[in-house]
Amino acid sequence: MKKTSLCQRFPLQKTYLLFLYLLTFSCATEDNIHPPIEKSFQEIFDIILLYSRETKISPDIFRYDWEDGVYVNSIIRLYKSGIDTINNLNYLKQIGDLSLNKANGAIPNQMIPGVVFPFLYEELNDQRYLVAAEKIYNDYKNIPKSKNGATSHTINEVQLWDDTIYMTGTFLLQMFEMSGDTIYLQDYIKEISGHYEHLNDPNEHLWYHAWDEDGIDNRSFQTGSVDGWTSIDDKNSDEFWARGNGWVLMGICDILPYIPTTHPNYPFLVDVYFNMLYSLSLYQDNITGHWFNIINKANYTRNFIESSSTMMYAYSILSLINSGTINSSKWLLNVVDDSYNGLQQISIKNEGDLWLITNVCGGSSVGNQEYYFNRPIVSNTNFSLGLFLMYSAEVLKYHKTRF
């Protein structure tokens, strides 16, 4: 069920005005900010960081895939935030050295673990990492593209998935940070705009999981998708999958601080971000502070609350507040507060010496309603540990700068 919001006074098509309002006039008062965070949250963060880095995803068992790639990106972000820099850099160097012979950008999901190479070249000036990074980028340029230039998630047929924005964009952003060459930002923006054209629903301002260019149902082992999700008459999948929308929102959030306000695509990016965030805020569950796996079907008994997307949405707000890209406001902080309280009470659980990130939808391809309702609910996946670290770092940073 949708909940009401202070932002209902702003029509969806006017969200760029809302952005200007937030940027120019809105400053959170103490009445709008939740109380200082409990010290125990810092302790939970430290425990999960140590456990995941030294045991669950240690360099010797690191897999060169998207799940571990999301985790590696979280360690890069922690390093750049000044968190445990010596140990994090040592970890990333081990990952990079062990992965040099695996570097490729043959498909989008292979790009995100490669984020370690431009990072290491920037930090250590070792040519081996530059060679690996450039190989990945050259491979990326050869992945099949849709007619509007967006990169296909699969290579045997042209399909656009919302996951691709984050899997490609994270690498492209690190290439920009390494080189300063804006071509990587332009590639990133092209991915967002190209996927937006086919995946964004103009009424809900949420994104479908996937779109197939020819509408022919070519199920393949590679995609693992469910038969019948696309047709010649309806090339989109039918559902708003929560984590898929999280990949989009995080992808836009991460690039915004790098785009000058004078850039011709800046209003578009801001508009997509706030339209999406506004719609999501209306579907946040009042009781749990989470979102459901199919975002707009909370009343279906087989639907379930999903923690990884909840962390992604909250991260996407706090990261831009912490970077100064947007100012905090009451409605944004209410979304973050409800997420934080719900995650703490329901999804972040203690089991002996171990902390678990529970209520995570297992890895998903594209499907129908039944497919998403039947996804396994798992704990402590490698990607969810990375998302927790990124989300938690932003929570801690927000509090440290204000209390």
Side-chain angles (χ1 to χ4, degrees), residues 32-187:
N32 296 336
I33 301 175
H34 41 61
I37 199 165
E38 296 178 6
K39 182 180 178 182
S40 60
F41 191 77
Q42 176 72 62
E43 295 171 351
I44 294 170
F45 172 85
D46 293 339
I47 291 170
I48 289 180
L49 172 58
L50 185 64
Y51 158 73
S52 59
R53 190 182 62 200
E54 306 299 327
T55 302
K56 181 72 163 53
I57 318 169
S58 61
D60 59 311
I61 58 175
F62 174 82
R63 298 170 302 175
Y64 195 86
D65 63 10
W66 74 267
E67 295 195 36
D68 289 16
V70 171
Y71 180 80
V72 159
N73 185 54
S74 76
I75 299 300
I76 291 174
R77 295 187 70 88
L78 296 187
Y79 173 85
K80 291 186 175 184
S81 295
I83 298 173
D84 199 10
T85 54
I86 294 175
N87 289 322
N88 282 333
L89 182 59
N90 181 59
Y91 173 82
L92 292 165
K93 188 177 185 309
Q94 290 183 67
I95 294 293
D97 290 345
L98 291 169
S99 302
L100 279 168
N101 64 343
K102 302 173 185 176
N104 78 90
I107 58 174
N109 281 358
Q110 292 290 295
M111 291 179 66
I112 191 165
V115 73
V116 71
F117 298 120
F119 165 78
L120 287 172
Y121 179 70
E122 182 184 10
E123 292 296 319
L124 304 176
N125 198 31
D126 186 326
Q127 288 292 316
R128 296 177 304 156
Y129 305 133
L130 178 61
V131 170
E134 290 178 337
K135 179 185 186 307
I136 294 170
Y137 181 70
N138 289 332
D139 287 348
Y140 158 73
K141 299 300 286 186
N142 290 319
I143 300 174
K145 304 290 190 288
S146 64
K147 292 176 183 177
N148 67 7
T151 298
S152 176
H153 197 77
T154 61
I155 58 175
N156 57 326
E157 52 197 320
V158 176
Q159 295 182 352
L160 303 185
W161 294 23
D162 47 18
D163 317 42
T164 300
I165 288 178
Y166 195 77
M167 302 305 157
T168 59
T170 299
F171 176 82
L172 294 169
L173 190 59
Q174 191 60 55
M175 289 293 284
F176 168 73
E177 291 195 55
M178 176 196 77
S179 67
D181 191 336
T182 57
I183 189 174
Y184 302 112
L185 294 182
Q186 291 305 317
D187 285 340

Side-chain angles (χ1 to χ4, degrees), residues 76-325:
I76 291 174
R77 295 187 70 88
L78 296 187
Y79 173 85
K80 291 186 175 184
S81 295
I83 298 173
D84 199 10
T85 54
I86 294 175
N87 289 322
N88 282 333
L89 182 59
N90 181 59
Y91 173 82
L92 292 165
K93 188 177 185 309
Q94 290 183 67
I95 294 293
D97 290 345
L98 291 169
S99 302
L100 279 168
N101 64 343
K102 302 173 185 176
N104 78 90
I107 58 174
N109 281 358
Q110 292 290 295
M111 291 179 66
I112 191 165
V115 73
V116 71
F117 298 120
F119 165 78
L120 287 172
Y121 179 70
E122 182 184 10
E123 292 296 319
L124 304 176
N125 198 31
D126 186 326
Q127 288 292 316
R128 296 177 304 156
Y129 305 133
L130 178 61
V131 170
E134 290 178 337
K135 179 185 186 307
I136 294 170
Y137 181 70
N138 289 332
D139 287 348
Y140 158 73
K141 299 300 286 186
N142 290 319
I143 300 174
K145 304 290 190 288
S146 64
K147 292 176 183 177
N148 67 7
T151 298
S152 176
H153 197 77
T154 61
I155 58 175
N156 57 326
E157 52 197 320
V158 176
Q159 295 182 352
L160 303 185
W161 294 23
D162 47 18
D163 317 42
T164 300
I165 288 178
Y166 195 77
M167 302 305 157
T168 59
T170 299
F171 176 82
L172 294 169
L173 190 59
Q174 191 60 55
M175 289 293 284
F176 168 73
E177 291 195 55
M178 176 196 77
S179 67
D181 191 336
T182 57
I183 189 174
Y184 302 112
L185 294 182
Q186 291 305 317
D187 285 340
Y188 198 164
I189 292 171
K190 183 185 293 186
E191 296 295 351
I192 295 171
S193 62
H195 283 76
Y196 173 87
E197 179 182 346
H198 294 298
L199 298 181
N200 175 68
D201 182 274
N203 297 314
E204 285 283 1
H205 295 274
L206 299 173
W207 290 41
Y208 297 106
H209 193 174
W211 171 87
D212 186 284
E213 188 163 70
D214 62 15
I216 298 173
D217 188 6
N218 295 324
R219 184 182 178 189
S220 67
F221 176 80
Q222 180 190 13
T223 65
S225 300
V226 171
D227 287 318
W229 72 263
T230 185
S231 68
I232 293 175
D233 295 327
D234 182 11
K235 297 180 180 181
N236 283 98
S237 58
D238 293 331
E239 307 299 339
F240 302 125
W241 178 47
R243 191 161 60 244
N245 278 264
W247 295 132
V248 175
L249 195 65
M250 285 182 70
I252 297 172
C253 158
D254 287 350
I255 193 176
L256 266 177
Y258 295 88
I259 306 300
T261 57
T262 55
H263 191 283
N265 294 112
Y266 187 77
F268 163 73
L269 294 171
V270 167
D271 208 42
V272 174
Y273 173 84
F274 272 109
N275 275 332
M276 194 173 193
L277 189 57
Y278 168 80
S279 288
L280 287 169
S281 73
L282 301 181
Y283 285 114
Q284 187 177 23
D285 183 49
N286 286 313
I287 297 173
T288 67
H290 288 60
W291 281 263
F292 283 79
N293 197 44
I294 298 180
I295 294 170
N296 61 333
K297 295 185 175 179
N299 290 334
Y300 287 63
T301 57
R302 295 181 58 212
N303 207 355
F304 55 90
I305 60 171
E306 210 286 318
S307 65
S308 69
S309 57
T310 300
M311 293 186 291
M312 295 162 95
Y313 303 154
Y315 161 89
S316 297
I317 296 172
L318 284 173
S319 178
L320 289 186
I321 291 174
N322 287 335
S323 69
T325 306

Side-chain angles (χ1 to χ4, degrees), residues 361-377:
C361 172
S364 298
S365 293
V366 185
N368 53 24
Q369 175 181 284
E370 288 302 302
Y371 173 82
Y372 295 105
F373 284 170
N374 287 323
R375 299 311 297 147
I377 304 172

